[in-house]
């Protein structure tokens, strides 16, 4: 059932119940009023009759009765009939109990079918106590009551019908902005993701919904544009070494070469292939780190050991690099050194920062410092290198972003994006300070394993543990 039908039915139900209550109250109150009025008439009739009988001695018999089936009967205190109007048998059955309940102040009312009776007590001039029962049929009052019932019932039905139509129109009108939103949302696809919903000047919930949806679209558009530029950057980065390699092969093939010349050409090609492998590995790692955490293999790892391993792997590859690792302060307990993480990814992140420190400084030196503070490990990677211009600082964590000042140094611009993603995966933070010509410092904060909440079981170790270090 759609909202419009539900709203209409709810509205009808509500109004119908209120009106039914009102209708029943009107009917009941009118019935009470009719009864009181008729009782009054019966009392007057009874008293008039008994007074005529007592004072005048006779009651005119040939008067036409004013009320339908009217009859007045006078009983003495023992219940014997002293007088009966029209000399007929009393139509209204009177029990001794009924007579006994009649007092001077409180006449008794009784009803059988449409016949209503009132019993009053009267003390005549001789001091005798008489009971007068006047009964009649309030045909006129009942027919008015019947008519009122019909009017109320059909009025209720008619108003129900009107309320149904009004409720439907009301619900349609209230939901029109929703229908408009749906039409607008349906019109937005990947090709026009820049379009936004019209919010209007209203300040209602639907305007809030449209605004929220627009915010979502903005985030999606950013991700979409980022994805597009990522693919084009990646293709460009892969095409460049391939073009270079093709050029080198074509030039080499132009004429017969000596064995040494071939060796040089192959070495150059090998360099390009290695560079491509680095890039592809970097992209794979980035994809892995950006994908679902389910595939990550978290386990307790000692941060200092990881740093030493990263240092030795890097120095093995580039012996000119100088990487100093030092403790700023010693941990209170050994567990402070342990963090819950994916060893190969952390290894990659540390190697990237160490390599950047050496790569972008003339002394090829980087200093790594470890500090411990209230359940977290702080690492700083400082170099006295070329530094990063302030205008580049907000972008260096974007994939493929490279500072103009260091374009001459080989790189793909993947390392920092990957490093940031890895640190975020470990619920850590990475920040950078840099001054051109002075040096750069990257600060990482990682929570110690005993501070971490337990990692959900579905994110626990899986078979996949194939991280290739991006270096
Ligand atoms: P790559 O080093 O392959 O270019 P990164 O993502 O590691 O890619 O770094 C992105 C850019 O950030 C680098 O091109 C460089 O301009 C700048 N950068 C990173 N680390 C440093 C550093 N320690 N000193 C100076 N510049 C740096």
């Amino acid at each position: 059932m759609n909202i419009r039908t539900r709203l209409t039915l709810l509205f009808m139900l509500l109004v119908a119940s209120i009106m039914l209550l009102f209708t029943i109250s009107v009917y009941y109150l009118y019935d009470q009023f009719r009864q009181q009025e008729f009782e009054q008439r019966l009392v007057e009739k009874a008293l008039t009759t008994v007074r005529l009988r007592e004072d005048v001695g006779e009651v005119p018999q040939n008067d036409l009765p004013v009320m339908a089936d009217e009859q007045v009967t006078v009983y003495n205190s023992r219940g014997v009939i002293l007088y009966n109007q029209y000399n007929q048998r009393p139509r209204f059955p009177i029990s001794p109990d009924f007579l006994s309940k009649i007092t001077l102040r409180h006449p008794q009312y009784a009803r059988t079918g449409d016949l209503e009776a009132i019993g009053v007590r009267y003390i005549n001039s001789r001091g005798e106590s008489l009971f007068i029962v006047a009964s009649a049929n309030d045909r006129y009052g009942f027919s008015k009551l019947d008519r009122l019932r019909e009017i109320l019932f059909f009025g209720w039905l008619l108003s129900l019908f009107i309320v149904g139509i009004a409720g439907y129109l009301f619900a349609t009108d209230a939901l029109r902005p929703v229908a408009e939103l749906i039409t607008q949302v349906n019109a937005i696809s990947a090709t026009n993701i820049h379009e936004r919903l019209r919010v209007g000047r209203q300040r209602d919930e639907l305007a809030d919904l449209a605004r929220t949806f627009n915010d979502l679209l903005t985030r999606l558009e950013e991700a979409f544009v980022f994805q597009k530029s990522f693919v084009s950057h990646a293709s460009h980065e892969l095409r460049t070494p391939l073009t270079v390699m093709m050029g080198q092969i074509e030039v080499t093939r132009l004429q017969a070469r000596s064995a040494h010349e071939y060796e040089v050409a192959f070495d150059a090609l090998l360099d390009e292939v290695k560079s491509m492998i680095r890039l592809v590995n970097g992209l794979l790692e980035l994809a892995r780190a950006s994908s679902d955490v389910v595939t990550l293999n978290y386990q307790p790892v000692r941060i200092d050991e990881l740093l030493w391993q990263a240092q030795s792997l890097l120095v093995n590859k580039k012996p000119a690099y100088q990487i100093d690792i030092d403790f700023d302060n010693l941990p209170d307990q050994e567990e402070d050194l342990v963090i819950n993480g994916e060893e190969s990814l952390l290894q990659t992140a540390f190697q990237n920062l160490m390599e950047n420190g050496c790569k972008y400084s003339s002394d090829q030196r980087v200093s790594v410092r470890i500090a411990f503070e209230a359940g977290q490990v702080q690492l700083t990677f400082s170099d006295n290198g070329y530094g990063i211009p302030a205008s580049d600082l907000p972008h260096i964590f974007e994939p493929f972003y490279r500072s103009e000042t260091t374009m001459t140094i080989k790189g793909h611009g993947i390392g920092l994006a990957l490093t940031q993603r890895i640190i975020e995966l470990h619920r850590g933070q990475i920040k950078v300070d840099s001054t051109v010509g002075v040096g750069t410092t990257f600060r990482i904060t990682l929570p110690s394993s005993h501070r971490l909440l337990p990692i959900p079981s579905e994110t626990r170790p899986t078979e996949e543990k194939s991280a290739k270090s991006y270096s």
Side-chain angles (χ1 to χ4, degrees):
M1 194 189 289
N2 60 24
I3 294 184
R4 181 169 38 197
T5 318
R6 213 160 48 209
L7 273 180
T8 311
L9 287 180
L10 265 177
F11 188 60
M12 270 178 79
L13 193 74
L14 195 75
V15 178
S17 319
I18 295 172
M19 287 201 52
L20 193 66
L21 203 70
F22 174 76
T23 306
I24 291 172
S25 310
V26 167
Y27 182 79
Y28 174 77
L29 291 176
Y30 182 77
D31 188 34
Q32 295 285 305
F33 169 74
R34 181 209 58 78
Q35 187 186 319
Q36 279 168 12
E37 197 190 41
F38 195 61
E39 270 178 38
Q40 193 56 44
R41 287 175 67 194
L42 286 176
V43 168
E44 278 166 17
K45 178 71 192 171
L47 291 176
T48 315
T49 306
V50 78
R51 276 181 197 132
L52 278 173
R53 182 175 174 275
E54 290 300 310
D55 299 345
V56 181
E58 69 172 306
V59 182
Q61 293 284 324
N62 51 357
D63 277 6
L64 279 175
V66 180
M67 296 176 277
D69 302 335
E70 178 188 298
Q71 195 175 41
V72 180
T73 313
V74 181
Y75 298 84
N76 66 11
S77 54
R78 290 184 306 280
V80 178
I81 297 174
L82 301 178
Y83 164 79
N84 198 4
Q85 197 181 14
Y86 311 124
N87 295 321
Q88 290 168 347
R89 273 187 61 240
R91 281 200 207 99
F92 198 88
I94 296 298
S95 64
D97 186 47
F98 177 80
L99 290 180
S100 67
K101 279 186 194 155
I102 302 170
T103 62
L104 275 175
R105 284 186 172 206
H106 297 109
Q108 279 297 306
Y109 170 84
R111 176 175 173 178
T112 37
D114 283 351
L115 210 57
E116 288 167 280
I118 196 92
V120 288
R121 196 170 161 189
Y122 180 79
I123 311 265
N124 63 14
S125 51
R126 294 181 298 279
E128 291 167 343
S129 185
L130 300 175
F131 297 96
I132 309 103
V133 176
S135 66
N137 184 342
D138 187 11
R139 238 174 243 162
Y140 186 58
F142 281 130
S143 81
K144 278 206 283 186
L145 201 64
D146 287 348
R147 187 85 188 110
L148 179 71
R149 192 171 49 221
E150 275 168 25
I151 291 171
L152 287 176
F153 178 70
F154 287 108
W156 181 74
L157 274 187
L158 185 72
S159 59
L160 213 63
F161 178 69
I162 294 170
V163 163
I165 294 177
Y168 184 81
L169 293 177
F170 166 75
T172 309
D173 190 56
L175 292 172
R176 185 169 299 128
V178 178
E180 275 173 23
L181 277 187
I182 292 172
T183 316
Q184 287 182 51
V185 172
N186 278 337
I188 297 175
S189 66
T191 47
N192 60 348
I193 198 163
H194 55 273
E195 287 198 9
R196 294 290 176 270
L197 305 182
R198 285 189 299 278
V199 177
R201 262 183 269 147
Q202 245 88 324
R203 295 201 154 266
D204 54 14
E205 288 83 351
L206 287 174
D208 279 350
L209 179 70
R211 243 176 259 121
T212 312
F213 194 81
N214 282 346
D215 291 346
L216 170 74
L217 277 179
T218 306
R219 291 198 296 275
L220 281 180
E221 189 185 358
E222 276 167 15
F224 193 65
V225 169
F226 174 81
Q227 206 69 31
K228 265 168 127 179
S229 86
F230 186 88
V231 172
S232 80
H233 272 110
S235 326
H236 178 76
E237 285 292 321
L238 285 169
R239 199 181 53 188
T240 310
L242 285 173
T243 317
V244 171
M245 282 161 70
M246 201 170 79
Q248 280 172 348
I249 294 169
E250 277 171 358
V251 169
T252 312
R253 283 188 68 228
L254 279 178
Q255 59 188 74
R257 308 276 176 185
S258 67
H260 176 68
E261 282 171 331
Y262 279 122
E263 204 176 312
V264 171
F266 278 134
D267 280 350
L269 285 177
L270 195 62
D271 272 355
E272 291 299 337
V273 171
K274 277 183 183 166
S275 161
M276 276 185 71
I277 289 174
R278 278 160 54 93
L279 172 62
V280 171
N281 280 346
L283 287 175
L284 280 175
E285 289 255 319
L286 191 61
R288 185 168 160 246
S290 306
S291 72
D292 209 337
V293 279
V294 174
T295 56
L296 296 180
N297 183 14
Y298 284 102
Q299 54 192 348
V301 280
R302 268 187 70 139
I303 208 85
D304 55 336
E305 280 174 10
L306 276 184
L307 287 166
W308 293 116
Q309 280 168 16
Q311 179 211 41
S312 97
L313 283 169
L314 209 56
V315 173
N316 263 351
K317 255 193 289 175
K318 303 269 174 69
Y321 286 178
Q322 292 184 55
I323 303 163
D324 308 322
I325 301 175
D326 240 326
F327 283 94
D328 261 359
N329 60 340
L330 284 172
D332 297 336
Q333 45 193 357
E334 211 174 317
E335 292 93 80
D336 286 349
L337 280 166
V338 180
I339 73 156
N340 226 7
E342 155 79 83
E343 194 177 324
S344 61
L345 285 181
L346 286 171
Q347 178 79 251
T348 306
F350 297 158
Q351 277 192 44
N352 285 340
L353 293 174
M354 288 176 180
E355 186 175 13
N356 278 357
C358 297
K359 199 163 75 169
Y360 298 115
S361 51
S362 48
D363 60 358
Q364 302 203 339
R365 191 179 196 124
V366 67
S367 154
V368 184
R369 307 199 65 83
I370 315 170
F372 301 92
E373 191 191 284
Q376 56 183 22
V377 186
Q378 288 179 350
L379 305 173
T380 46
F381 297 75
S382 324
D383 63 66
N384 302 315
Y386 313 126
I388 307 168
S391 58
D392 289 333
L393 278 178
H395 304 289
I396 55 165
F397 292 107
E398 291 171 12
F400 301 108
Y401 191 86
R402 306 203 67 220
S403 173
E404 286 290 335
T405 50
T406 51
M407 271 307 181
T408 47
I409 299 168
K410 275 196 171 181
H412 298 292
I414 294 286
L416 283 184
L418 177 59
T419 303
Q420 187 190 42
R421 181 71 193 126
I422 291 171
I423 300 301
E424 279 171 359
L425 274 181
H426 290 82
R427 301 178 211 172
Q429 281 183 334
I430 181 166
K431 290 185 180 143
V432 58
D433 285 327
S434 187
T435 313
V436 176
V438 177
T440 305
T441 302
F442 284 94
R443 287 175 219 285
I444 291 180
T445 314
L446 286 166
S448 304
S449 66
H450 63 280
R451 278 288 303 272
L452 278 177
L453 297 169
I455 288 171
S457 55
E458 65 269 28
T459 65
R460 290 241 171 82
T462 62
E463 274 77 293
E464 193 173 327
K465 191 183 180 245
S466 59
K468 297 172 199 75
S469 101
Y470 171 65
S471 55

